Amino acid sequence: MSGELFRLSLKEAMAYAAKHGSADISAALTGRIRSLNTQINAFLRCAEDTHHPPVKGPLGGLPVAYKDNICIRGQETTCASKILKGHVPPYDATVVRKLREAGGTFLGQCNMDEFAFGSSCETSAYGICRIPWDTDRVPGGSSGGSAAAVAADMALAALGSDTGGSIRQPASFCGVVGLKPTYGRVSRYGLIAFGSSFDQIGPLTKTVEDSAIMLNLIAGHDPLDSTSADRPVPDFTKALRRDVRGLKIGVPKEYSVEGIDPEVEKSVVAAAEVLKKLGADIRTVSLPHTQYSVAVYYIVAVAEASSNLGRYDGVEYGLRATEKNLKEMYFETRDRGFGQEAKRRILLGTFVLSAGYYEAFYLKGQKVRTLIRQDFENAFREVDLLLAPTAPTAAFKVGEKMNDPLAMYLSDIFTIPVNLAGIPAISIPCGLTSAGLPIGLQLMARPFDEETLFRAAYTFEQETEHYRKKPSI
Ligand code: GLN
């Protein structure tokens, strides 16, 4: 048994650690990482010391993995960018502090798209990450390393961040559970900013129950993040009831788009059937402004990104390319430090914010964002949840979309509207394609109603047990 301890769910590991301590599990995980990471490249850095003294708190010393854009005091944190190479934050992100206080220890930092720009993990400056299901394929992005680590049993649970789908789309590609909480539910303090009005930290886990456990540990108001919500945090594990009777679930008709893989569509329709059989009231709803979501996101989110990335200039963080003179230091540092996708976003973002274009693009984008948010408000007057695919396809091949940014951007077509509206959503496994690749089902809920998400996700998971299918690596 002890050799296979890495296969435990977080919940099972907590029960084991409460009896026997966490050392065996930590050792099993680090062994697993050692044997698989050269193939998968899910981890950029790992804990060296596997021997933990007994730790109090619900996690009892169990190790947790973090996306490499979450600041950990004294630990190099790079956002998978060359520009932050050698950057060692002098403070912990609030989520890191909270997990530590809950008895969590440090397992390692996971690969990602550079600055979270991407849907495949291929923009990482530190090498491509691959899925354990088929190592010719990408894990999705940007939290691809976090999702692949959990899928390959290299981590019990990992934190990721989601600006336009970066937790849910990799969860879908890797066959794990990914939760994007409501904007404001989890503190962003210490999350290296991409799009500050979108970014949200959330867990990637093996089960829905583990997701609720993790959200319990990281949620809550934080005076250090003025956008974090000052409202009570329920015990999310109490929402894990196997019952969807009477729940009204809407299927947005605009989400049946061209380009969606018929196998994905089929398995999502089948998922809706399952919930219907269990007593949910499934109906079609309309989110009329859906078609503008990707365009609006690539105006507003890149505007925020270009402003957030202005601080990397060789002065304070990471790389300083030259000290010849100030101007050259700025230019050279940014030229050598940022990868191609980061540069594309900085240019786009600066463009839409510049005089003359601000009104035409940024301001208009904000207005359409409001319309998209209102679409959801209207839909949630009629239904309790929305159901859709997480992504239009299963995991694609390494290199397949790298030279076609638009095709890459369109892989977030079903996840981006959620971030524009700030609502919570979860991706859970709902089957495999004929090629044996995971498919993700997305459920979306009203702001701060993660409980209903968990309830429906748990019911579906327990009924279908798709989560038990594992890659044979
Ligand atoms: N793939 C989307 C993008 O490239 C979303 C990324 C994210 O959520 N961080 O922006």
Side-chain angles (χ1 to χ4, degrees):
M1 174 67 188
S2 75
E4 297 274 283
L5 282 174
F6 49 77
R7 295 207 192 279
L8 297 180
S9 70
L10 179 63
K11 175 73 192 278
E12 291 162 347
M14 285 162 74
Y16 182 97
K19 267 203 208 140
H20 313 285
S22 61
D24 300 345
I25 297 176
S26 296
L29 288 168
T30 33
R32 181 80 169 163
I33 295 170
R34 226 176 290 123
S35 70
L36 290 185
N37 203 47
T38 37
Q39 259 173 291
I40 307 285
N41 201 25
F43 281 91
L44 297 177
R45 275 158 249 109
C46 284
E48 275 157 33
D49 160 35
T50 62
H51 221 77
H52 302 293
V55 182
K56 287 213 177 71
L59 291 176
L62 291 172
V64 186
Y66 294 95
K67 185 175 181 177
D68 197 34
N69 60 354
I70 297 174
C71 291
I72 303 179
R73 194 168 81 149
Q75 189 74 38
E76 186 185 13
T77 303
T78 67
C79 281
S81 179
K82 273 194 270 183
I83 210 160
L84 280 178
K85 196 164 173 47
H87 170 59
V88 179
Y91 67 97
D92 277 331
T94 295
V95 291
V96 173
R97 174 180 61 76
K98 283 187 168 238
L99 288 181
R100 189 171 285 150
E101 285 167 5
T105 54
F106 170 72
L107 180 62
Q109 289 152 298
C110 293
N111 206 351
M112 57 184 281
D113 281 293
E114 183 181 7
F115 281 104
F117 301 149
S119 310
S120 67
C121 233
E122 292 167 290
T123 70
S124 168
Y126 304 107
I128 295 167
C129 174
R130 292 153 190 277
I131 48 170
W133 300 84
D134 174 353
T135 50
D136 286 338
R137 291 180 188 267
V138 301
S142 63
S143 314
S146 300
V150 173
D153 289 318
M154 298 154 93
L156 301 167
L159 290 187
S161 67
D162 193 313
T163 307
S166 276
I167 291 173
R168 289 160 289 153
Q169 185 254 20
S172 165
F173 281 19
C174 293
V176 300
V177 176
L179 172 77
K180 188 210 89 82
T182 310
Y183 184 79
R185 180 60 100 184
V186 176
S187 170
R188 292 183 296 112
Y189 180 73
L191 171 68
I192 298 178
F194 161 4
S196 308
S197 75
F198 301 82
D199 299 341
Q200 192 60 193
I201 296 173
L204 291 121
T205 55
K206 299 181 189 181
T207 67
V208 174
E209 183 174 29
D210 288 357
S211 187
I213 292 171
M214 288 295 284
L215 188 60
N216 274 356
L217 299 178
I218 62 173
H221 178 60
D222 179 9
L224 297 174
D225 170 8
S226 62
T227 64
S228 79
D230 193 0
R231 48 154 79 214
V233 179
D235 177 353
F236 294 106
T237 60
K238 291 230 168 79
L240 303 168
R241 282 189 288 136
R242 209 175 151 169
D243 169 24
V244 289
R245 268 169 305 164
L247 263 191
K248 296 192 195 90
I249 304 181
V251 179
K253 67 167 193 264
E254 291 79 5
Y255 282 44
S256 192
V257 294
E258 226 179 285
I260 178 168
D261 178 342
E263 285 194 285
V264 169
E265 190 149 44
K266 210 173 114 202
S267 97
V268 171
V269 169
E273 278 303 315
V274 169
L275 291 166
K276 188 172 171 186
K277 233 190 280 143
L278 295 172
D281 169 1
I282 309 277
R283 48 177 95 172
T284 305
V285 295
S286 175
L287 300 169
H289 298 91
T290 298
Q291 57 174 310
Y292 306 112
S293 299
V294 174
V296 166
Y297 173 83
Y298 278 96
I299 291 170
V300 181
V302 298
E304 294 182 12
S306 80
S307 149
N308 275 325
L309 267 54
R311 69 188 63 142
Y312 307 112
D313 53 13
V315 176
E316 217 166 342
Y317 308 94
L319 180 76
R320 175 175 300 172
T322 168
E323 309 211 358
K324 241 187 271 163
N325 62 52
L326 193 62
K327 211 165 154 190
E328 288 207 10
M329 179 179 86
Y330 291 162
F331 277 111
E332 283 233 19
T333 300
R334 291 172 71 80
D335 185 36
R336 284 192 8 217
F338 287 128
Q340 205 189 357
E341 183 60 26
K343 285 177 182 161
R344 180 181 291 128
R345 304 227 179 173
I346 291 167
L347 288 172
L348 265 173
T350 309
F351 175 76
V352 301
L353 287 174
S354 53
Y357 298 103
Y358 177 89
E359 284 80 9
F361 294 108
Y362 182 77
L363 202 61
K364 197 180 264 174
Q366 291 287 25
K367 289 180 181 169
V368 182
R369 182 177 188 180
T370 301
L371 294 175
I372 290 166
R373 184 178 294 141
Q374 285 168 352
D375 280 358
F376 282 102
E377 282 166 12
N378 292 335
F380 285 127
R381 278 196 198 103
E382 257 184 74
V383 295
D384 304 304
L385 289 175
L386 294 167
L387 177 150
T390 305
T393 65
F396 44 85
K397 288 232 159 102
V398 170
E400 196 179 314
K401 297 189 200 245
M402 258 320 251
N403 296 318
D404 188 350
L406 193 59
M408 189 71 94
Y409 294 175
L410 286 173
S411 60
D412 299 314
I413 192 161
F414 302 136
T415 48
I416 279 175
V418 161
N419 302 77
L420 290 167
I423 61 175
I426 195 165
S427 177
I428 50 173
C430 72
L432 299 179
T433 64
S434 48
L437 298 169
I439 301 171
L441 171 72
Q442 183 178 208
L443 296 168
M444 308 164 234
R446 296 184 182 101
F448 298 101
D449 192 13
E450 286 88 356
E451 287 164 288
T452 305
L453 272 188
F454 282 132
R455 176 179 155 199
Y458 182 74
T459 305
F460 179 78
E461 175 196 69
Q462 295 300 308
E463 181 71 19
T464 58
E465 302 202 331
H466 291 299
Y467 73 101
R468 289 193 189 278
K469 293 188 194 102
K470 294 277 191 172
S472 56
I473 193 156

